[in-house]
Amino acid sequence: MCSSDLYGDIERQFSKNVADMVWAVTGVGQDRAAKMANAIEKIARTPGADLVKSADRLSNAAASKAEKKMKLYNRYKDEHTNLSPVLGNNALAQELVKLFAD
C-alpha cells in the first residue's frame, strides 16, 4: 500500500474503493520503468483503476502536446505500448489512442 497515512486519509474522505484506485495508479520502484511496471500490475487487478489512469494519462499527454513539451509527450507515447493493455477500450483510452496516432 501507499503510505498508510495517505491511504487512510483518502479512504476516510472518499472510500476504500477510491483509495485502492489511487494506490493502483501510483507506481513504486527505483526508476520510471519499475514504477510503470508496478502500476500496470496493480491497475490490471484493481477495478476502475483503468479509467483513472486513462483520464490521467490523456490529460497529461494532451497538455504536454499542446504546450509543445515534446520530450514528455514522446515519453508518454512510448510508454503507451506497455500501458494500453491494462487501459482496455474505454472512451478515454480510445481518445488516448487517437491522440498518439499523429
Side-chain angles (χ1 to χ4, degrees):
M1 286 271 132
C2 56
S3 157
S4 61
D5 289 342
L6 179 57
Y7 183 91
D9 288 347
I10 294 169
E11 183 178 17
R12 279 186 293 285
Q13 284 190 287
F14 301 100
S15 70
K16 180 182 183 326
N17 187 39
V18 171
D20 287 346
M21 287 187 286
V22 169
W23 170 242
V25 301
T26 304
V28 177
Q30 295 292 336
D31 57 28
R32 188 169 179 95
K35 289 176 184 177
M36 180 61 69
N38 176 260
I40 288 169
E41 177 185 317
K42 294 184 296 184
I43 291 166
R45 65 175 193 254
T46 306
D50 59 327
L51 291 171
V52 174
K53 188 62 179 180
S54 295
D56 177 58
R57 186 50 60 104
L58 179 59
S59 174
N60 292 339
S64 64
K65 186 175 182 181
E67 295 168 8
K68 307 262 190 268
K69 295 179 180 178
M70 299 316 289
K71 183 176 179 180
L72 185 56
Y73 172 78
N74 287 324
R75 179 187 302 159
Y76 292 142
K77 188 174 181 178
D78 291 344
E79 290 173 344
H80 190 69
T81 301
N82 293 328
L83 186 59
S84 65
V86 297
L87 298 184
N89 198 32
N90 65 68
L92 296 169
Q94 290 174 16
E95 287 299 314
L96 193 53
V97 169
K98 289 178 189 173
L99 178 69
F100 290 144
D102 61 2

